[in-house]
Amino acid sequence: RRDNYEEVVKALMGDPRPDPILIPAVLTDENMPDVATDYHTAASSLLRICHACSLLLQQRRLVKNAPAFVASAAQYALTVTLPMPHLDTNVCFWRKSPMRRETQ
């Protein structure tokens, strides 16, 4: 074509958008125990899962099935990581020691 169509189209389109930055969300950690044994472990596990889920949901346009990953991480944290209270105070860490105010 003689009317320089391709150059005009490129000028109208502008510069290409930069690629989005994808920050990996770590849902599993080898250093954290599977089951919480005290209040500190339970609180740090929940905080870690909360940060990872928040990061995943902020990147839901970049990560496929991000809400499903968040739901499965929350289910794992509430059903596996946090043990159910037990009637025996020797076994149950929920009843073994009182919870401190800063842990709440």
Side-chain angles (χ1 to χ4, degrees), residues 41-53:
T41 309
S44 62
S45 295
L46 287 176
L47 187 62
R48 181 181 53 84
I49 290 292
C50 179
H51 289 311
C53 290

Side-chain angles (χ1 to χ4, degrees), residues 1-93:
R1 296 177 94 174
R2 297 183 69 186
D3 60 356
N4 204 8
Y5 177 76
E6 292 176 6
E7 296 297 324
V8 171
V9 169
K10 286 182 184 177
L12 290 174
M13 285 178 20
D15 294 331
R17 290 184 182 167
D19 291 335
I21 298 173
L22 180 66
I23 301 171
V26 179
L27 293 175
T28 58
D29 189 6
E30 295 175 357
N31 299 330
M32 294 297 288
D34 289 336
V35 178
T37 56
D38 59 347
Y39 288 122
H40 178 70
T41 309
S44 62
S45 295
L46 287 176
L47 187 62
R48 181 181 53 84
I49 290 292
C50 179
H51 289 311
C53 290
S54 174
L55 183 61
L56 265 177
L57 286 178
Q58 289 174 6
Q59 302 181 37
R60 65 183 169 267
R61 292 187 179 145
L62 303 174
V63 179
K64 289 185 177 181
N65 300 326
F69 286 134
V70 168
S72 65
Q75 177 197 5
Y76 183 82
L78 295 175
T79 59
V80 176
T81 304
L82 295 178
M84 293 295 290
H86 197 271
L87 292 177
D88 187 11
T89 58
N90 297 330
V91 178
C92 179
F93 83 85

